[in-house]
């Protein structure tokens, strides 16, 4: 392999790494933004416009036996009636965990 080929290969690899790094950071949406985009229209301010007893406030969650980040993530994947499920394509596992923490902290 000639030196010029090696150099151009290295440039190609560097470019790929930069693209990968950028798209990765672009995919990690903040929990707050995710909540606003995907949850707030049914759960404004942590409430529930469809079923008032099933809001996201701590007292509601505890009454319905949802207490931890893992339990919220599990709920999002397989929710109760009238809430559409969010799979890992819609909200990745790490985004779902951050979203759950945001809910526990915020409401
Ligand atoms: C189309 C409306 C809708 C959207 C959008 C929606 N939900 Fe829900 N959610 C509901 C309904 C309805 C229930 C109650 C279901 C039942 O009766 O068990 C619920 C219940 C919940 C509960 C359980 C609350 C409790 O006190 O038992 C959690 C947690 C929850 N939603 C989180 C979310 C999150 C996080 C999002 C966004 C990723 C989201 N929901 C988006 C309608 C929605």
């Amino acid at each position: 392999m000639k030196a010029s080929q090696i150099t151009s290969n290295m440039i190609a690899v560097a470019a790929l790494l930069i693209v990968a790094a950028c798209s990765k950071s672009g995919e990690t949406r903040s929990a707050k933004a995710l909540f606003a985009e995907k949850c707030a229209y049914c759960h404004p301010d942590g409430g529930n416009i469809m079923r008032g007893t099933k809001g996201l406030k701590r007292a509601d969650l505890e009454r319905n036996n949802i207490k931890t980040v893992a339990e919220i993530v599990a709920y999002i994947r397989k929710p109760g009636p009238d809430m559409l499920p969010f799979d890992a394509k819609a909200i990745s596992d790490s985004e779902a965990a951050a979203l759950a923490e945001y809910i526990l902290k915020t409401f």
Side-chain angles (χ1 to χ4, degrees):
M1 206 186 276
K2 277 191 275 176
S4 62
Q5 268 180 317
I6 293 172
T7 310
S8 67
N9 281 347
M10 279 167 60
I11 291 170
V13 168
L16 275 178
L17 286 175
I18 292 168
V19 169
C22 293
S23 64
K24 196 156 182 265
S25 69
E27 272 167 26
T28 313
R29 296 161 288 188
S30 84
K32 196 177 175 189
L34 259 182
F35 186 85
E37 183 191 331
K38 308 224 182 245
C39 320
Y41 61 99
C42 291
H43 295 288
D45 294 321
N48 188 329
I49 57 162
M50 300 173 92
R51 210 139 297 138
T53 56
K54 298 210 168 169
L56 306 182
K57 304 222 160 74
R58 193 165 287 253
D60 282 340
L61 290 175
E62 284 183 359
R63 184 163 18 82
N64 298 320
N65 245 319
I66 302 170
K67 299 190 173 88
T68 63
V69 164
E71 282 164 344
I72 293 181
V73 173
Y75 192 94
I76 295 169
R77 299 286 188 237
K78 208 169 176 296
D82 298 328
M83 177 173 149
L84 294 175
F86 294 87
D87 65 14
K89 264 185 243 150
I91 301 178
S92 73
D93 284 345
S94 61
E95 285 174 334
L99 184 58
E101 262 169 47
Y102 170 81
I103 288 169
L104 288 175
K105 255 191 282 167
T106 310
F107 305 117

